[in-house]
Amino acid sequence: MTWKRIVLGIGNPGAEYEGTRHNVGFMVLDLVAQRLGLAWKRLERKDSAGTKLFSGKVKATLAEGSARGQAFVLVKPLTFVNLSGDVAGPMLRHGELTPEALLVVLDDLNLPLGKLRLRANGSAGGHNGLRSIEAVLMTQAYPRLRVGIGAPETGFVDHVLERFSAAEKVAVLPALIRAAEAVEGWLARTELNRLMDVFNRDE
């Protein structure tokens, strides 16, 4: 299947990181896959003829689908956050796609809890996952969807690696659903500016 669009969620692999704030990107993609009836599978390194497709360091789970007749893939890297570019770069090269065909979904502690921010490009803003992707792609010109996780007064590292409290889950679940809707809109070729008008506003 030749993908025309790639959605990459940023997060850390492993059960110990499931449900943590840093894994919001994974949570959104899980919702998208569930809503669209897609199944997750491990990345295959070779095609049916045995031709090598990816190097050994490209580790991810994928969910493939189509929207408006165009194939897409959801990607959850099995590398850690700060190595997200090791997956994003080869995936784009494999599909011979430009960075504009990549949507990255991630957590953002500079946004209030549950706030969404969709942009066509921009800086990493201190996020190591975006830094890794930008270092590999050598550009900031790719869309990204940030989901606010709020910021603590101190202890940023501990904050992003902790799970949401019961009260926070109530606040963040509607944002995860709206983020999934934004991803689906992008996959369906809705104009990015229109999606920004809808999903960047305060609810």
Side-chain angles (χ1 to χ4, degrees), residues 128-173:
N128 288 333
L130 290 187
R131 284 176 176 166
S132 172
I133 292 171
E134 290 169 10
V136 171
L137 301 187
M138 295 184 291
T139 182
Q140 297 178 348
Y142 58 89
R144 70 282 312 275
L145 175 60
R146 299 174 182 267
V147 181
I149 61 170
E153 294 182 3
T154 58
F156 293 122
V157 173
D158 289 341
H159 179 67
V160 299
L161 294 180
E162 289 173 348
R163 290 175 172 81
F164 292 107
S165 68
E168 287 175 327
K169 287 180 181 178
V170 172
V172 80
L173 180 57

Side-chain angles (χ1 to χ4, degrees), residues 13-140:
E16 66 268 38
Y17 296 107
E18 288 181 4
T20 60
R21 295 181 180 93
H22 227 9
N23 277 32
V24 157
F26 283 8
M27 296 178 202
V28 173
L29 264 60
D30 282 337
L31 265 178
V32 174
Q34 179 183 355
R35 288 162 60 99
L36 298 181
L38 307 179
W40 291 100
K41 64 179 182 180
R42 288 278 299 213
L43 174 70
E44 296 179 2
R45 307 211 174 280
K46 297 181 179 180
D47 63 17
S48 58
T51 303
K52 188 174 181 181
L53 300 174
F54 296 98
S55 69
K57 71 177 181 178
V58 184
K59 301 175 182 178
T61 56
L62 313 178
E64 297 177 291
S66 64
R68 298 180 67 88
Q70 300 288 326
F72 66 80
V73 63
L74 311 179
V75 183
K76 294 192 296 184
L78 294 176
T79 55
F80 286 88
V81 166
N82 61 353
L83 295 175
S84 299
D86 289 351
V87 174
M91 296 290 288
L92 281 175
R93 289 193 294 272
H94 172 67
E96 298 182 346
L97 300 172
T98 61
E100 291 82 4
L102 170 71
L103 173 63
V104 178
V105 185
L106 67 149
D107 61 292
D108 191 326
L109 53 74
N110 294 313
L111 286 177
L113 181 68
K115 175 70 176 177
L116 302 184
R117 183 70 71 229
L118 178 63
R119 290 283 185 264
N121 51 54
S123 70
H127 197 288
N128 288 333
L130 290 187
R131 284 176 176 166
S132 172
I133 292 171
E134 290 169 10
V136 171
L137 301 187
M138 295 184 291
T139 182
Q140 297 178 348

